[in-house]
Amino acid sequence: MAQRLQGRTALITGSTSNIGRSIAVAFAHEGAHVVVSGRDEARGAEVVDEIRSSGGQADFVRADLDGSSAASRALAAEVLTLLGGRVDVLVNNAGIYPSPGTLDTDDETFDRVYGVNVKAPFFLTQALVPTMIGAGSGVVINLGSWIARLAVPRGSLYSSTKGAMETLTRAWAAEFGPQGVRVNAISPGVVVSPDWDPSTVHPGEVMMHGTPAGRSGHPDAIAGAAVYLASDDAAFVHGTVIDVDGGRTGVAVVAG
């Protein structure tokens, strides 16, 4: 069976662990030359080694996407040099999740969360989309979150940043779609990292009680959606947010 991303290049931010790592591995399995990016060089090397040991193509580029336009542009420039001036797929996955209540959020925390979760992907997209437009095609995939639309008592700051990314998805689809660049998003539900201690209950697990899935998800479920959106299978998909959340936002949860 043909690999769906054969011959394409991809940058996945925050791909040294969890969802980003699964996306990087899945893209490489489908034939893409993947750039793994994050702050931890040791973990980045582990992901690259995993991909290469399976016959895939991968490189690591360290980046601390703090929200400054300079950091995003520096990453874009380094990746473009590494990949010969071409990035076919950008996955804006990197994010942070401090969860103070609104009354406990200070200026520094507010600016840091918006910097990493919104400003960094905004300026990274700004830096890379022109090369996609020049090539006549490209894909941008943003990561949203189920709590952008189904509120929980804590997490107003984080959920608002993910709401911003879902709105940018639609705005960018309108702006860049006519120039050959498809922009879509994935909204994960409760996803438990594979390195979570199985003897302890994940704090988000209770939120999945009563859903169709009835449990939390694995990062590979998000990766599967990302492969679809990056591939030609989704050639007619623009400005869409795909919920991969076990039915959490789309189905009424009735307490048992």
Side-chain angles (χ1 to χ4, degrees):
M1 185 171 64
Q3 294 174 299
R4 287 181 284 177
L5 302 180
Q6 185 64 46
R8 300 182 193 182
T9 59
L11 166 63
I12 301 98
T13 65
S15 48
T16 59
S17 64
N18 207 11
I19 289 174
R21 179 174 185 149
S22 285
I23 293 174
V25 171
F27 275 22
H29 179 73
E30 291 289 344
H33 182 170
V34 170
V35 174
V36 175
S37 184
R39 292 175 294 181
D40 192 316
E41 294 187 26
R43 292 198 303 183
E46 289 177 3
V47 182
V48 169
D49 288 346
E50 177 183 351
I51 290 171
R52 289 179 177 175
S53 66
S54 299
Q57 290 182 281
D59 294 283
F60 175 73
V61 174
R62 187 186 182 282
D64 184 1
L65 297 177
D66 58 6
S68 66
S69 60
S72 292
R73 289 168 184 155
L75 173 60
E78 187 170 354
V79 171
L80 286 171
T81 298
L82 177 66
L83 297 177
R86 173 173 145 242
V87 174
D88 298 310
V89 184
L90 167 63
V91 181
N92 286 313
N93 169 74
I96 55 175
Y97 182 49
S99 56
T102 298
L103 303 184
D104 299 318
T105 300
D106 56 30
D107 290 14
E108 181 182 356
T109 301
F110 185 97
D111 290 343
R112 182 163 59 92
V113 176
Y114 261 84
V116 175
N117 292 5
V118 181
K119 285 183 67 179
F122 183 96
F123 286 112
L124 186 58
T125 301
Q126 182 191 71
L128 289 176
V129 160
T131 65
M132 297 179 181
I133 292 173
S137 65
V139 175
V140 178
I141 301 171
N142 297 320
L143 269 291
S145 172
W146 68 278
I147 63 171
R149 280 165 290 140
L150 189 62
V152 295
R154 294 183 68 85
S156 60
L157 180 59
Y158 174 81
S159 63
S160 69
T161 65
K162 289 305 181 179
M165 290 309 299
E166 293 188 8
T167 297
L168 279 172
T169 296
R170 292 182 284 271
W172 284 340
E175 184 175 0
F176 304 132
Q179 300 172 84
V181 181
R182 292 191 296 106
V183 185
N184 292 288
I186 302 168
S187 176
V190 177
V191 173
V192 176
S193 173
D195 58 9
W196 183 265
D197 182 354
S199 66
T200 61
V201 177
H202 189 276
E205 195 72 38
V206 67
M207 298 181 184
M208 295 304 293
H209 292 173
T211 64
R215 58 173 176 79
S216 59
H218 189 280
D220 287 350
I222 314 305
V227 168
Y228 164 69
L229 288 175
S231 75
D232 291 341
D233 292 343
F236 200 53
V237 181
H238 292 260
T240 293
V241 179
I242 296 181
D243 293 320
V244 187
D245 63 2
R248 189 65 183 83
T249 56
V251 178
V253 175
V254 179

